[in-house]
Amino acid sequence: MKFELPALPYETGALEPVIGKQTVELHYGKHFQAYITNLNNLIPGTKYENMELVDIVKSSDGPIFNNAGQALNHDIYFLSFSPNGGGAPSGKLAEAINSQFGDFENFKKEFNAAAVSVFGSGWAWLAKDANGKLSIEKEPNGSNPVVKGLVPLLGFDVWEHAYYLDYQNRRPDHVNALWNIIDWKAVESRY
Ligand code: MN
């Protein structure tokens, strides 16, 4: 198989109470795995067969785009958390956030508003352009900021499968809690 599920850098129950063990087991072990399995089944014999994942997302549509996008999205998502996470970013990313959004608290407020207002299934992203300028992007379904020529730094999955077992319909509570497990070192490494 070309694409494989990345190993989690934490135990499936380690993100509790922000994300429950059962949610991680289903979301990572079933949903994320299914996107990868589907993609591996869809690309043999196509022009996407030997492409990097990001390039598939940039150049495909239909079922290949949906599954490649979600493979990329969840790869970033699950590697952005740590049971010792939270706090605030540092270094160049912190400087850019403060300069563009005023301060970290205001950035979180704007990001939360974007995540809460995605209609239906989709994602909220912090992304950067080629000059390092930051932006908050809302993407529907399995899309990713790479389709706009941007580099994704941090993504919040607001599909119901990401939070329904733990928060039911309370998406704002889930989004607000996610900040407590963000691994800023991982996010800063993408900036
Ligand atoms: Mn998901």
Side-chain angles (χ1 to χ4, degrees), residues 27 31-32 35 70 74 77-78 123 157-159 161-162:
H27 194 187
H31 290 272
F32 187 7
Y35 298 127
Q70 286 290 69
H74 290 86
Y77 178 80
F78 280 108
W123 293 76
D157 185 347
V158 293
W159 286 54
H161 68 218

Side-chain angles (χ1 to χ4, degrees), residues 116-165:
V116 166
S117 64
V118 171
F119 186 75
S121 297
W123 293 76
W125 292 95
L126 174 64
K128 69 164 183 176
D129 71 7
N131 299 316
K133 184 172 185 291
L134 299 174
S135 60
I136 295 169
E137 305 291 331
K138 297 202 282 187
E139 297 291 339
N141 302 309
S143 189
N144 182 288
V146 296
V147 302
K148 300 169 177 168
L150 302 172
V151 175
L153 305 177
L154 174 67
F156 281 13
D157 185 347
V158 293
W159 286 54
E160 286 186 344
H161 68 218
Y163 61 86
Y164 219 82
L165 286 175

